[in-house]
Amino acid sequence: MKKIYYLLLICLTVSALGYGQTTLRNQSFEGTGNWNFTPNPATAPAGTTWGNVTSLGSLLPTAGAHFRGLNNPTSNAGATTYQILLNSVDVSLYQNIFIVFDYMYETSGTLPQMAYRLTIDGVVGSYIGVPLSGSSGSATITPISVPDTATSVSMEIAFLYTYGFGSNPAATANIGIDNIKLYTTSPFTGLEYISDAVGWKDGNSPSNTTSAVDALIYAGTYSIAGDVALNSVYINEGAAINIENTGALAVASALSTFNQLTINSDSNQYGSLIVEGTVTGTATYKRHVNSQTNDDDLISAPVSGQTFGTFASANSSNLPVVSAANPNIKFFGPFDRTSGSYLTWSTASNAQFSTTLNPGIGYRTGSTDNGTFNFTGKVNTESISVDVFHKGDTPASQWNLIGNPYPSYVSLYDFLNYNTYTANGGVNIFQVSRGGLYGYNAGLVDWWTIYNMANTMGDTKILSPGQGFYVAIDDNLTGVMTFNPDMRIDGSGDDFIPGRADNYNKSNFTLSISADQLYHTNEVYFFDDIVSLGLDNGFDTAIYGNNASGYTLFTKLVESNPGYKMGIQSLPNSSLKDSGVTIALGVIAPKGQQITLDLMETTLPENVELYLEDTVDETWTLLTEKAYTFTTATALNGLGRFYLHAAENKSLSIEDNAIESLKFFTGNQSIKIKGQLDINTKLTVYDIQGRQMNTVILNKTVNEYTINANGYSSGIYIVKVENQTGNQITKRVILK
């Protein structure tokens, strides 16, 4: 039996055959009908009329002005068989289906002959003769039943004697058919889109609360601009659905597109389609592609099955050519990991022309107009696994260009979480310092946006439909990156443009470097008990490479640092306590530039302060209050000058009186004290053995003090502060 009964029955018109019958396809030879057909032969031998004819004598009022058939087939050389081949119709959603047609005939001699046969699910049935008697007549054939188990049906109606029913008719023989109907007796009770002029029947339209309701699009184009949820959807032949760039359609059961479903996007928004059940027919995704004149774009096919040749032809107006001298070579192709460069495919190459744009494969391209490329093919609803590997001696061999295979957004956290801990038998095949994905953001900030477990955990970060990106695989490993349908998510927004993160039991800050514009960013996250001060694969991710702009920010791992330049570093919340945590900050910048280091965003708790230490200018800047601006006397090329110091306020002070409100920080061979004193106060530094290392007087008119710790070895030191009134505090600090 069928999985779905009484579902999505197209209400073209209520047939006159009886109450409750709904026509699925019809064909009248008065010039109307939607059950398309092919005549065979296309033309008749001389002396025979074959096609839409009007001669049937007294039967004409019954037949109407026209019918389809033969008139005076006196030159039927070779006993030609004349056929009407009615196209296959998807009936997988229907039950109680029947076919009828009117027939008419007249002769002065031998009776003409007629037969029909059905093709069910591709299996051709036997001919069944239509009994004719007398010299003339007309009737409606007894309804022909289509099995309830059928998923598709087509029909052939044939004239003349090839089937053994008789000999050639007399010269005055005429025969024809009209009013062919495919109908169901099961009424439709869901939502019906009647036409663009009428809209939805009775004003009942779908919404995000109609997930248990079926719908059919009878005629016109139903446009979806918001969130719509339905159980099943059927698009009638000649009708269409258009999902706008702001629209999202979720289908719980079955979708039949009749190849007339289009999803749109622009540079800011991407339309979405999520189907939990089955899809019959293709869809077209109009996927936004960045202008080649601005920068390249990394994409993948959001629907699958289209060949490159078909794709190139469908997008010939805005798919760039590499050179006007050879227009066959298109600005489109995968990443070659041997050479570390992108390939450009040619429509003149038979192998490339016929290559299928398989799901999950990434490509570099660009458009001529900052518009959209049309991808037409299968709507992927199943798991898609893409082969990835790192084999070879070239640095580029680690990088695998893949992409989102669904016409919907994908949760970045779900993708990373599954492929880090579950895929490949639970073996993490990400490169040890690059556990995450790298999205090309076309030079907006950083050129590369990095996503890992740290900045996606608990956040609504999403991967847009057909978005391409890189993953780095560890040495000499082979495996797969898997996209699961449960990773699909309703969302909105563009592709790899950075945005604010939501809190999920974590805090973070993002530091930026800018000169005449914003050039590069770096992220640091704090978690409870799930990360360390060393390398945590999936939570600590190195930068893709130095920013092509010449400006780069990176951090050094606090512990166990093998030399990685971290783009995202994750640390435990416990590191903010006591004397806090010190993070070496790497800066690459040209000589003679005014540079600003600033907090681009932060979700640090209010009781955490973040200082930037410049060991050359001997300054400390509280970044939670202001940015730090300086001019490069020489080119900066990495580590050694800047340090970030983060700590909870409560770990830096005890009470709210003058001496006890002092805050202590340790820098690069320095100890910094901040706070306003009432009177001059003595400060003494001791090593862990109690030996006095330094003594200074803190002037009450100064609120920041730096103690030179040049020559001090790394370790724990005791700082004692006391004044003439007897107030004192003792603080333990750590120099690294």
Side-chain angles (χ1 to χ4, degrees), residues 35-215:
W35 198 351
N36 296 333
F37 66 92
T38 302
N40 184 33
T43 58
T48 297
T49 301
W50 162 238
N52 286 14
V53 294
T54 58
S55 297
L56 206 59
S58 62
L59 297 180
L60 184 58
T62 302
H66 296 85
F67 61 94
R68 187 81 187 187
L70 288 164
N71 175 236
N72 298 325
T74 57
S75 301
N76 186 29
T80 301
T81 300
Y82 293 87
Q83 302 162 311
I84 295 175
L85 307 174
L86 293 132
N87 291 359
S88 180
V89 178
D90 181 359
V91 293
S92 59
L93 304 179
Y94 312 137
Q95 198 177 33
N96 299 328
I97 303 166
F98 300 92
I99 300 173
V100 295
F101 58 86
D102 295 337
Y103 62 92
M104 55 230 70
Y105 60 94
E106 64 181 5
T107 182
S108 61
T110 305
L111 278 172
Q113 301 297 313
M114 179 187 303
Y116 67 86
R117 62 179 175 179
L118 302 183
T119 297
I120 305 294
D121 298 338
V123 178
V124 181
S126 300
Y127 285 109
I128 299 175
V130 178
L132 307 177
S133 61
S135 61
S136 65
S138 64
T140 298
I141 197 167
T142 301
I144 305 163
S145 178
V146 177
D148 285 340
T149 55
T151 60
S152 67
V153 61
S154 61
M155 184 169 71
E156 171 192 336
I157 303 175
F159 303 103
L160 289 188
Y161 74 93
T162 305
Y163 322 105
F165 300 131
S167 58
N168 262 346
T172 58
N174 302 297
I175 189 169
I177 59 172
D178 203 357
N179 303 323
I180 310 169
K181 291 184 176 66
L182 173 70
Y183 68 94
T184 177
T185 59
S186 299
F188 175 68
T189 59
L191 302 175
E192 303 174 56
Y193 189 84
I194 304 301
S195 67
D196 292 340
V198 176
W200 289 92
K201 181 180 179 181
D202 300 326
N204 297 321
S205 60
S207 69
N208 62 354
T209 64
T210 53
S211 59
V213 181
D214 303 321

Side-chain angles (χ1 to χ4, degrees), residues 315-387:
N315 298 283
S316 59
S317 63
N318 63 342
L319 177 60
V321 298
V322 175
S323 169
N326 192 346
N328 292 323
I329 302 178
K330 307 299 182 180
F331 189 71
F332 184 96
F335 179 66
D336 181 16
R337 283 175 286 180
T338 300
S339 64
S341 60
Y342 294 103
L343 301 179
T344 51
W345 279 357
S346 172
T347 54
S349 167
N350 290 333
Q352 294 171 355
F353 187 89
S354 59
T355 297
T356 300
L357 303 182
N358 287 324
I361 305 299
Y363 304 93
R364 186 280 307 264
T365 188
S367 66
T368 61
D369 58 358
N370 201 39
T372 59
F373 284 169
N374 289 354
F375 290 89
T376 300
K378 171 189 173 184
V379 176
N380 296 310
T381 60
E382 70 279 11
S383 292
I384 303 293
S385 292
V386 188
D387 291 335

Side-chain angles (χ1 to χ4, degrees), residues 230-562:
L230 289 162
N231 179 52
S232 294
V233 179
Y234 189 93
I235 302 175
N236 181 33
E237 183 177 8
I241 287 180
N242 184 68
I243 302 176
E244 299 179 16
N245 62 311
T246 58
L249 173 61
V251 180
S253 182
L255 168 65
S256 182
T257 70
F258 219 98
N259 306 330
Q260 292 296 324
L261 187 146
T262 302
I263 312 167
N264 296 275
S265 67
D266 62 19
S267 61
N268 298 311
Q269 298 281 343
Y270 292 76
S272 174
L273 172 66
I274 296 177
V275 181
E276 300 295 346
T278 59
V279 179
T280 303
T282 63
T284 295
Y285 201 109
K286 294 179 175 292
R287 212 277 177 190
H288 172 263
V289 178
N290 191 53
S291 172
Q292 180 198 16
T293 58
N294 293 335
D295 215 325
D296 303 343
D297 210 344
L298 301 181
I299 65 171
S300 62
V303 293
S304 63
Q306 192 174 33
T307 65
F308 170 66
T310 303
F311 168 81
S313 176
N315 298 283
S316 59
S317 63
N318 63 342
L319 177 60
V321 298
V322 175
S323 169
N326 192 346
N328 292 323
I329 302 178
K330 307 299 182 180
F331 189 71
F332 184 96
F335 179 66
D336 181 16
R337 283 175 286 180
T338 300
S339 64
S341 60
Y342 294 103
L343 301 179
T344 51
W345 279 357
S346 172
T347 54
S349 167
N350 290 333
Q352 294 171 355
F353 187 89
S354 59
T355 297
T356 300
L357 303 182
N358 287 324
I361 305 299
Y363 304 93
R364 186 280 307 264
T365 188
S367 66
T368 61
D369 58 358
N370 201 39
T372 59
F373 284 169
N374 289 354
F375 290 89
T376 300
K378 171 189 173 184
V379 176
N380 296 310
T381 60
E382 70 279 11
S383 292
I384 303 293
S385 292
V386 188
D387 291 335
V388 293
F389 58 88
H390 180 184
K391 293 186 293 186
D393 298 328
T394 61
S397 65
Q398 65 187 298
W399 295 105
N400 292 255
L401 178 55
I402 62 176
N404 179 4
Y406 300 122
S408 63
Y409 290 93
V410 161
S411 164
L412 278 166
Y413 175 78
D414 289 344
F415 172 81
L416 288 168
N417 185 54
Y418 183 87
N419 286 286
T420 300
Y421 300 112
T422 305
N424 303 296
V427 176
N428 187 350
I429 66 172
F430 284 103
Q431 191 175 112
V432 65
S433 65
R434 291 190 167 99
L437 61 84
Y438 294 76
Y440 189 66
N441 63 30
L444 295 176
V445 181
D446 302 341
W447 297 85
W448 295 97
T449 300
I450 304 172
Y451 286 115
N452 68 6
M453 298 290 289
N455 62 358
T456 61
M457 180 179 288
D459 294 339
T460 54
K461 291 199 170 61
I462 49 181
L463 191 65
S464 64
Q467 181 59 54
F469 58 89
Y470 282 101
V471 291
I473 304 304
D474 221 341
D475 294 344
N476 298 313
L477 287 182
T478 299
V480 296
M481 288 287 152
T482 299
F483 297 86
N484 285 330
D486 55 6
M487 297 174 186
R488 296 174 299 175
I489 188 172
D490 185 16
S492 63
D494 45 29
D495 31 35
F496 287 119
I497 311 303
R500 275 195 173 272
D502 298 325
N503 288 324
Y504 183 74
N505 195 29
K506 67 181 179 183
S507 62
N508 78 291
F509 64 86
T510 301
L511 194 66
S512 66
I513 181 172
S514 58
D516 56 328
Q517 66 180 60
L518 181 62
Y519 282 111
H520 206 227
T521 61
N522 189 274
E523 299 174 67
V524 176
Y525 287 80
F526 294 91
F527 293 90
D528 281 333
D529 304 325
I530 60 173
V531 294
S532 68
L533 296 175
L535 180 64
D536 300 287
N537 198 349
F539 287 85
D540 297 309
T541 304
I543 62 176
Y544 183 85
N546 291 345
N547 195 332
S549 68
Y551 296 84
T552 303
L553 280 181
F554 62 89
T555 61
K556 177 182 177 181
L557 289 172
V558 174
E559 290 183 355
S560 306
N561 186 356

